[in-house]
Amino acid sequence: MSRRAHPSHGRRQLLKYAGASLLVSVTPLAGAAAKLPSVLAVRVWPAADYTRVTLEHDAPLKFTHFTVENPDRLVVDIEGVEFNSVLDSLARKVATDDPNIKLLRAGRFKPGVVRLVMELKGKVNPQVFTLAPVGEYGHRLVLDVYPVNPPDPMMALLEGRKEAVEPLKGGQDFQIAEVRPEEPAARKSDKPPVEAPEVQTSKKSGKPVVDRLVTIMLDPGHGGEDPGAIGRAGTHEKTVTLEVARRLKARIDAEPNMRAVLTRDSDFFVPLQMRVQKARRVHADLFLSIHADAWIKPDARGSSVFVLSEKGASSTQARLLAQKENDADLIGGVNLGNKDLFLARTLLDLSQTATINDSLKLGRYLLGELGSINTLHKANVEQAGFAVLKAPDIPSALIETAFISNPEEEARLNDDAYQEKLAGAIVRGIRQYFIKHPPGPKAKLA
């Protein structure tokens, strides 16, 4: 009798030869009884910039994709995946007001292949890529659809300001408003308060007019697939940072000569270097990244301000924080195969040292004002290699509003009144910085 068991016998077999018996285990054919990969969750992140669809699955997938016109569609074929209730629910995941996607559906296309069809509201540049497991996420298949004609942040900025600002002739000096009555008019200081010049008004409209529009890029940390730190009560850092940034934008926009722009205005992920690109596209005068970090001990508390360092971190905590924030792209998900998403040149150049010096000055004003509403975690501005602060020509700071890992501070971060206090303190810090360091002429209105 042959010593080899028939390969189709997926069970133990007793072989007899030469007067002896041998019990062997026979391995089934590869894949004969293997479980198909399964899609565990589907998440949709709509935004004017782009819409992301994420399919989280428990094993690597093989897929192909192509686009179809009339009407515009993105088609993704996934091989060897189990069609389940998660895929069947795709159509209910897309909101009617999604800026880019009209409809999303999935079905069995042919044996062993599931087809996803995304009907689009316009021409898009699609990106389909995979992400390896990281943190609490498993394998992810990402479908990003970028509109061919994306929103222009500079045009939106100018259109939103057209009626509120009228350029002056003759190149008058930069004007800045006094501290508003509802905010603390004075702080404990050895120096007398700085008197700010009056803002002139137009005889025609009676509205404030300035010769220099100050643009401030506000960057709510994290977003979309990246929740950031999570408090004990379940508060997501990405939610707090967006709320504070919106309140801060409203206060800045109320100033007669300032305008704020958000790197994200809803819950979606923005790659770190894309955040820097957005600031440079609108010729921002300042870049402020808003965060609410966590620490390993729940008793850590207080506000902090960080700026870029070229020579290493100022403390172990600053180094660890920068490392965590720089890992955001791994969690949020960046298509590393698409080089167009990243800056074409190295951001650090000869102007970086001067910019860091300006950032330190800005950080001191911010820290001083934050100290009026909250405990300071560190009394000095800290430095580390934050990727999001690497604009070579824009003073930049990262503000840790409070520790979301501290139950008391987590509760305060969810409080509307405290969020307003945070916004007010940051605006006062910005004002003090510009009073002492007026912006140059690069963003004069024409």
Side-chain angles (χ1 to χ4, degrees):
M1 179 182 289
S2 169
R3 302 182 187 180
R4 180 177 299 173
H6 193 282
S8 64
H9 296 174
R11 62 185 186 277
R12 289 185 174 185
Q13 290 188 340
L14 185 63
L15 302 183
K16 296 180 180 180
Y17 63 97
S21 297
L22 179 65
L23 186 66
V24 298
S25 294
V26 181
T27 303
L29 282 176
K35 182 179 179 295
L36 292 176
S38 182
V39 175
L40 306 175
V42 175
R43 297 179 290 273
V44 180
W45 308 100
D49 291 33
Y50 75 109
T51 295
R52 166 168 291 187
V53 177
T54 303
L55 283 75
E56 188 172 357
H57 43 96
D58 58 5
L61 297 177
K62 185 177 180 181
F63 65 92
T64 57
H65 71 279
F66 57 92
T67 56
V68 182
E69 296 182 341
N70 299 318
D72 293 306
R73 286 161 286 166
L74 171 64
V75 180
V76 181
D77 287 338
I78 306 174
E79 298 182 23
V81 67
E82 176 188 358
F83 185 81
N84 58 15
S85 59
V86 176
L87 288 170
D88 193 39
S89 70
L90 272 178
R92 300 190 295 274
K93 297 289 186 179
V94 177
T96 55
D97 60 351
D98 189 297
N100 304 296
I101 302 177
K102 182 178 181 181
L103 181 67
L104 182 62
R105 62 183 185 274
R108 295 181 179 87
F109 174 58
K110 59 184 180 181
V113 177
V114 170
R115 169 164 287 186
L116 275 59
V117 179
M118 182 186 293
E119 293 188 20
L120 303 161
K121 292 184 176 178
K123 300 289 184 184
V124 301
N125 291 319
Q127 296 177 26
V128 182
F129 58 98
T130 59
L131 295 171
V134 61
E136 297 181 356
Y137 291 121
H139 297 272
R140 285 174 288 172
L141 174 62
V142 177
L143 286 61
D144 285 349
V145 286
Y146 289 83
V148 169
N149 298 309
D152 185 341
M154 179 59 82
M155 185 60 66
L157 177 67
L158 294 176
E159 287 178 351
R161 197 67 183 179
K162 185 163 53 177
E163 294 185 1
V165 177
E166 177 183 334
L168 292 174
K169 304 298 181 182
Q172 283 95 335
D173 292 335
F174 173 76
Q175 310 280 324
I176 191 157
E178 270 285 14
V179 176
R180 296 184 180 279
E182 71 271 18
E183 296 174 0
R187 296 283 320 287
K188 293 180 181 179
S189 173
D190 296 332
K191 299 179 181 179
V194 178
E195 292 294 333
E198 291 185 4
V199 177
Q200 300 187 31
T201 58
S202 166
K203 293 180 180 179
K204 182 179 179 180
S205 65
K207 294 180 178 180
V209 291
V210 296
D211 184 55
R212 173 70 161 83
L213 177 64
V214 174
T215 303
I216 300 164
M217 179 60 80
L218 302 177
D219 175 45
H222 309 281
E225 288 288 290
D226 177 18
I230 302 176
R232 286 190 171 186
T235 306
H236 287 187
E237 181 182 4
K238 67 175 182 178
T239 304
V240 169
T241 60
L242 182 57
E243 286 300 315
V244 172
R246 283 172 173 166
R247 295 178 188 275
L248 181 53
K249 173 176 166 56
R251 283 181 175 254
I252 292 173
D253 288 349
E255 297 292 317
N257 52 354
M258 293 185 189
R259 175 63 72 176
V261 184
L262 298 175
T263 57
R264 65 179 183 95
D265 56 6
S266 59
D267 188 9
F268 65 100
F269 179 72
V270 183
L272 295 177
Q273 293 194 19
M274 182 71 80
R275 297 170 191 253
V276 179
Q277 274 188 322
K278 287 190 171 192
R280 304 193 81 225
R281 283 184 64 190
V282 299
H283 306 291
D285 295 287
L286 294 181
F287 179 94
L288 296 179
S289 193
I290 311 298
H291 290 259
D293 197 32
W295 192 239
I296 52 177
K297 295 182 178 180
D299 58 346
R301 63 182 302 131
S303 302
S304 305
V305 177
F306 297 82
V307 303
L308 183 67
S309 171
E310 293 181 282
K311 302 177 181 179
S314 56
S315 70
T316 299
Q317 184 178 358
R319 177 178 58 80
L320 293 174
L321 177 61
Q323 180 180 329
K324 184 184 76 69
E325 298 297 353
N326 292 346
D327 284 345
D329 281 353
L330 298 176
I331 301 171
V334 174
N335 182 8
L336 298 178
N338 180 28
K339 304 303 181 185
D340 293 337
L341 282 177
F342 298 93
L343 299 181
R345 65 181 182 83
T346 302
L347 286 171
L348 293 176
D349 60 13
L350 294 177
S351 68
Q352 192 75 69
T353 300
T355 301
I356 290 176
N357 288 335
D358 286 338
S359 300
L360 283 166
K361 295 172 185 174
L362 168 65
R364 293 186 191 106
Y365 290 117
L366 292 171
L367 200 63
E369 296 297 335
L370 288 168
S372 70
I373 66 162
N374 193 24
T375 303
L376 293 181
H377 185 68
K378 288 286 183 69
N380 57 290
V381 179
E382 295 208 75
Q383 293 183 260
F386 293 90
V388 78
L389 302 181
K390 289 187 177 181
D393 49 358
I394 305 173
S396 304
L398 186 146
I399 300 171
E400 290 290 353
T401 54
F403 279 87
I404 204 169
S405 54
N406 181 303
E408 181 182 342
E409 292 203 331
E410 179 185 6
R412 296 180 75 192
L413 286 169
N414 282 305
D415 181 66
D416 291 347
Y418 183 67
Q419 289 181 4
E420 285 292 343
K421 286 183 179 180
L422 278 171
I426 294 170
V427 168
R428 294 196 301 273
I430 293 170
R431 260 201 224 109
Q432 292 301 313
Y433 172 78
F434 279 127
I435 287 173
K436 295 289 187 66
H437 310 281
K442 68 176 181 179
K444 271 195 174 184
L445 297 174

